[in-house]
């Protein structure tokens, strides 16, 4: 593979790992309420458990944690699969297919983050999307 591809794929792997690592910090930090309104909100997120059917009653904090876990794991999965295939010397045709899937997935993830979240996850997913797109276009058949 070319040096150009090597730059882009390593950039993809690093940004995916960093995004997963940065986002996983949220599992270890407890947010503290800054005022009475936030205290009430945090209390409701932890204690209010709506019936979502089939016997499930997760709190909103549980749902938020589940979504957060999925975001972290998809970034980690992308990084690990790219690293594995980079080390195995995957041929250009296979890279093209894999990276097209990643462009679609991480592009959709970036759009979702841009619409529904805040600066840090938007920046992280934008960088992943830029690097995976660069990787896709730098693969030479």
């Amino acid at each position: 593979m070319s040096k150009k591809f090597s730059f882009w794929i390593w950039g993809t792997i690093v940004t995916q790992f960093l995004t997963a690592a940065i986002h996983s910090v949220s599992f270890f930090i407890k947010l503290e309420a800054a005022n009475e309104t936030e205290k009430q909100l945090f209390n409701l997120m932890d204690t209010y458990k709506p019936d979502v059917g089939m016997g499930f009653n997760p709190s909103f904090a549980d749902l938020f944690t589940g979504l957060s876990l999925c975001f972290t794991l998809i970034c980690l999965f992308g990084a690990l699969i790219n690293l594995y295939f980079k080390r195995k010397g995957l041929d250009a045709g296979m890279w093209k297919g894999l990276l097209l899937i990643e462009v679609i997935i991480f592009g959709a993830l970036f759009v979702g983050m841009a619409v529904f979240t805040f600066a840090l996850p938007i920046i992280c997913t934008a960088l992943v999307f830029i690097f995976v797109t660069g990787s896709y276009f730098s693969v030479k058949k």
Side-chain angles (χ1 to χ4, degrees):
M1 291 286 165
S2 70
K3 286 184 181 183
K4 189 176 183 181
F5 174 74
S6 208
F7 165 79
W8 285 106
I9 198 64
W10 280 114
T12 301
I13 293 166
V14 168
T15 56
Q16 287 171 327
F17 271 132
L18 285 175
T19 299
I22 290 167
H23 198 266
S24 68
V25 169
S26 68
F27 298 120
F28 306 106
I29 295 175
K30 178 84 170 141
L31 290 176
E32 297 296 326
N35 56 48
E36 195 56 40
T37 303
E38 284 185 8
K39 186 176 180 181
Q40 184 180 9
L41 176 65
F42 290 169
N43 183 47
L44 283 171
M45 284 185 68
D46 288 334
T47 60
Y48 181 68
K49 297 182 178 192
D51 183 4
V52 294
M54 295 176 49
F56 290 102
N57 297 318
S59 70
F60 283 99
D62 294 336
L63 294 172
F64 190 77
T65 301
L67 289 172
S68 186
L69 179 62
C70 289
F71 176 66
T72 301
L73 289 176
I74 193 131
C75 291
L76 185 60
F77 178 72
L80 290 172
I81 201 160
N82 289 333
L83 183 62
Y84 177 77
F85 286 146
K86 176 76 173 126
R87 289 191 175 169
K88 287 294 184 183
L90 199 64
D91 68 84
M94 293 293 288
W95 269 119
K96 205 75 164 160
L98 172 67
L99 291 170
L100 178 60
I101 293 167
E102 287 192 29
V103 165
I104 293 166
I105 296 299
F106 286 101
L109 186 62
F110 168 61
V111 169
M113 293 296 161
V115 171
F116 296 113
T117 66
F118 53 95
L120 189 57
I122 293 170
I123 292 167
C124 288
T125 54
L127 289 171
V128 170
F129 180 63
I130 289 166
F131 275 104
V132 80
T133 302
S135 296
Y136 175 77
F137 285 113
S138 68
V139 173
K140 300 288 185 217
K141 284 198 171 188

